[in-house]
Amino acid sequence: MTGADGRRRITSAMLALEDVVEAGIGAFAQIGGRRYPMIVPFIGHGTSRRARVGARLVLGHRNAEPPPAPAALVGDAEPSPRSRRAVLRVSLARFLTVEVPRAAVTIHAPGGDVVVRTDRDGYVDHEVELPDVEPGWLEIGLTGPEGATATARVLVVDPVVDVGVISDVDDTILHTGLTRGLDFLRATLLTDVEERTPLPGAAALYRALVGKEGKPERPVFYVSTSPWNLHEMLLQFVSLRGFPLGPLLLTDWGPSHTGLFRIGAQAHKPALVRRLLDEHPHLRLVLIGDSGQEDPEIYADIARDRPDRVAAIYIRRITGLDLGRGGEIERLAAEITALGVPMLAVDDSGDIAVHAAGQGLVDDAAVASVRAELGSG
């Protein structure tokens, strides 16, 4: 038996074990009253003719409040502080979900209803045809078993927009410590959403990148190897900290055919970025990441393959963690820049704003706004 055969057998065994465990959790949840399907909508995106709609079907209580629609989160007042115990309880509840696999969900798209089935983990990820809808935010209704309903928001990218932004999340717009296990667990389980720390100046920078004066708003896509269980929390963070709203493209943790416990960045991000390039062929992309994971190598590979589609690459240096990668990233940045795609390793949002203004990606006034948020005047 080859090593590949062994890995396949282990993966199959883990997937089977996951099914057994989830069946047990589902039975226990039904005893506890969580027996009614609920649809958790994700933010979708597309063009005026096609859009990708995502959601997850889970079990909940009959009288439970459905997750707030993305529209309701934007501009919400900050929630009241909670005790560490309450924070831990809410955080754990995000991961102790009971998915409803292989169930029918109807997408009520403007072009007509489409019936799809959830996958083995309760997800819906489907492209629908649209009848040449107007750019902007589109609301699409979803219905599922036993009267479950939800509304998914979909960003219809304006065809005249020529630049979009793809940003990592972890240690790129907020501190998570994803590369440091204990720090990540502490931030994820014991830190309430309003206490999560944004990187200084990042919100002002992103607003400048998507809101160039006199132009239609550009799209921003947040790509992360964080699990879909954190979608609602990250969406609240984006709203509370003044980041522009955009699709959150996360991943599923647990056994899969690409990994036993978690899909790595090398398997997740390149496929997503390339899919976005294909789905939005008129966009050149600004790629923003950090030095803690494989963002420099992933983005560099994309720039080598599609230099005409990448407007710039910005890599934030993670401070306080000696990764021994500084020289390696600088050499990679010089190589990609020589190909005609500007790639910079930066210390803060101000460095990005200055360079982006020189490239015509943001207005000159945006530099002062970012510096003001940084506190540097």
Side-chain angles (χ1 to χ4, degrees):
M1 182 176 65
T2 66
D5 290 335
R7 286 192 295 272
R8 280 194 293 269
R9 289 190 179 185
I10 293 173
T11 300
S12 297
M14 291 293 291
L15 290 169
L17 178 61
E18 183 188 41
D19 287 340
V20 172
V21 171
E22 289 187 350
I25 293 174
F28 180 80
Q30 290 197 6
I31 293 173
R34 290 171 59 188
R35 63 188 68 183
Y36 302 103
M38 294 175 56
I39 300 174
V40 180
F42 304 140
I43 298 179
H45 63 93
T47 67
S48 61
R49 303 305 297 270
R50 293 180 67 83
R52 184 174 294 274
V53 179
R56 197 176 198 187
L57 189 64
V58 300
L59 291 182
H61 298 282
R62 172 65 78 186
N63 296 322
E65 288 289 328
L73 292 170
V74 179
D76 277 357
E78 292 195 13
S80 302
R82 291 183 284 198
S83 69
R84 290 294 178 224
R85 180 178 297 178
V87 172
L88 178 61
R89 185 169 60 249
V90 171
S91 299
L92 288 174
R94 295 189 182 109
F95 291 91
L96 299 177
T97 54
V98 183
E99 297 80 25
V100 183
R102 304 173 184 89
V105 172
T106 302
I107 302 172
H108 302 287
D113 291 353
V114 180
V115 180
V116 298
R117 288 199 172 270
T118 59
D119 66 12
R120 67 184 304 276
D121 294 309
Y123 291 105
V124 168
D125 181 12
H126 190 76
E127 275 196 322
V128 295
E129 301 288 341
L130 298 176
D132 201 16
V133 299
E134 291 293 319
W137 287 101
L138 175 68
E139 294 190 349
I140 293 182
L142 304 170
T143 57
E146 301 186 44
T149 62
T151 300
R153 294 194 78 200
V154 174
L155 176 60
V156 179
V157 179
D158 196 314
V160 305
V161 173
D162 61 349
V163 174
V165 179
I166 291 182
S167 173
D168 183 42
V169 172
D170 314 294
D171 296 315
T172 300
I173 68 169
L174 81 161
H175 293 288
T176 64
L178 186 60
T179 58
R180 306 175 296 282
L182 289 178
D183 289 344
F184 176 74
L185 288 176
R186 187 182 302 111
T188 302
L189 298 180
L190 296 176
T191 307
D192 212 349
V193 62
E194 72 270 19
E195 297 174 354
R196 301 297 291 269
T197 306
L199 269 70
L205 171 66
Y206 284 45
R207 291 194 299 270
L209 283 168
V210 306
K212 206 165 187 295
E213 188 174 354
K215 302 287 186 180
E217 185 167 312
R218 296 165 172 170
V220 57
F221 306 91
Y222 300 99
V223 178
S224 172
T225 52
S226 290
W228 282 106
N229 308 68
L230 298 181
H231 182 271
E232 182 186 346
M233 183 277 291
L234 291 174
L235 190 58
Q236 288 177 313
F237 172 86
V238 164
S239 172
L240 290 171
R241 298 307 181 189
F243 286 87
L245 183 64
L248 292 161
L249 306 175
L250 311 180
T251 188
D252 188 36
W253 284 16
S256 72
H257 293 291
T258 58
L260 292 182
F261 301 106
R262 176 172 169 263
I263 298 175
Q266 283 287 359
H268 178 62
K269 289 182 181 177
L272 273 180
V273 175
R274 294 177 194 280
R275 192 180 79 183
L276 288 169
L277 285 170
D278 291 339
E279 292 175 341
H280 301 279
H282 61 291
L283 290 181
R284 295 170 65 235
L285 297 177
V286 176
L287 306 177
I288 308 176
D290 65 81
S291 62
Q293 294 183 284
E294 296 93 349
D295 290 346
E297 289 78 12
I298 291 170
Y299 291 164
D301 282 344
I302 291 167
R304 291 187 190 102
D305 293 344
R306 311 287 291 275
D308 58 317
R309 300 293 306 281
V310 181
I313 299 173
Y314 299 113
I315 302 296
R316 290 181 178 273
R317 299 186 184 97
I318 294 182
T319 58
L321 184 64
D322 183 14
L323 299 173
R325 302 189 66 205
E328 179 184 347
I329 293 173
E330 291 293 347
R331 288 190 293 274
L332 188 61
E335 175 202 337
I336 299 305
T337 300
L339 295 177
V341 178
M343 179 174 178
L344 277 74
V346 300
D347 292 319
D348 59 36
S349 299
D351 293 341
I352 298 177
V354 169
H355 184 270
Q359 298 292 310
L361 295 170
V362 302
D363 295 324
D364 290 336
V367 178
S369 299
V370 174
R371 284 177 170 165
E373 195 171 281
L374 282 168
S376 57

